[in-house]
């Protein structure tokens, strides 16, 4: 008999204390991202995506923690040209007003690892909120996420969840 399911269950098992610690670790991760995406760290027209990445790594070290993987920060900009070169590196390094920032960031502590992706919009001069089309895009993305998570069921396969979610989303 294969021990695969036993191994997976062992890895999935968390004590109540680990659950509390993980919740705190997620909070720390999100707070680092929040600060990294603030005007404390970013000066539009000056700060590069790499500056933000290294600020995040230094912040983690200040907290005596470790990154789980090298963070990434990239820019999505409303321009009619490719955003990425063939090497996968962003063509936009300097963060500008009107940019949509994306990060992938995770920290490790006591064999627990976070893996968090977040978006932020850099306001243009005179703006007090992101443009309506970005707010609507975020709402639609969140709706898709909610559809998928509402279909998570014990013992259901990923393909079963995907099929049901796609059908529900199309409806």
């Amino acid at each position: 008999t294969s021990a695969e399911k036993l191994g997976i269950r062992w890895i999935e098992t968390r004590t109540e204390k680990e659950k509390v610690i993980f919740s705190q670790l997620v909070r720390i991760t999100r707070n680092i991202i929040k600060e990294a995406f603030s005007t404390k760290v970013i000066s539009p027209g000056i700060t590069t995506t790499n500056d933000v990445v290294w600020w995040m790594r230094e912040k983690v070290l200040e907290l005596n923690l470790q990154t789980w993987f090298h963070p990434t920060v990239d820019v999505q900009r409303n321009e009619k040209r490719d955003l990425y070169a063939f090497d996968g590196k962003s063509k936009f390094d300097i963060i500008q007003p009107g940019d949509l920032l994306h990060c992938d960031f995770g920290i490790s502590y006591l064999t627990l690892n976070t893996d968090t992706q977040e978006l932020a919009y850099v306001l243009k001069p005179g703006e007090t909120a992101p443009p309506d089309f970005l707010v609507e895009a975020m709402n639609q993305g969140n709706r898709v996420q909610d559809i998928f998570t509402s279909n998570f069921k014990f013992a259901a396969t990923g393909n079963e969840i995907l099929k049901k979610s796609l059908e529900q989303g199309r409806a």
Side-chain angles (χ1 to χ4, degrees), residues 10 45 51 60 81 84 89-90 129 143:
W10 177 259
D51 293 336
V60 169
R81 58 185 177 144
Y84 298 94
K89 295 182 179 176
S90 173
R143 175 68 182 126

Side-chain angles (χ1 to χ4, degrees), residues 106-167:
I107 55 179
S108 297
Y109 182 70
L110 297 176
T111 72
L112 300 170
N113 302 297
T114 64
D115 186 349
T116 306
Q117 295 191 39
E118 290 200 17
L119 297 169
Y121 175 73
V122 182
L123 295 173
K124 293 178 182 177
E127 286 183 324
T128 58
D132 290 342
F133 76 92
L134 281 179
V135 173
E136 180 57 27
M138 180 65 81
N139 290 338
Q140 288 181 21
N142 288 342
R143 175 68 182 126
V144 170
Q145 176 179 273
D146 292 344
I147 289 170
F148 273 91
T149 57
S150 72
N151 288 317
F152 289 174
K153 300 288 182 255
F154 181 74
T157 69
N159 284 335
E160 291 167 344
I161 293 168
L162 175 61
K163 183 177 187 253
K164 185 174 182 180
S165 298
L166 290 173
E167 289 169 354

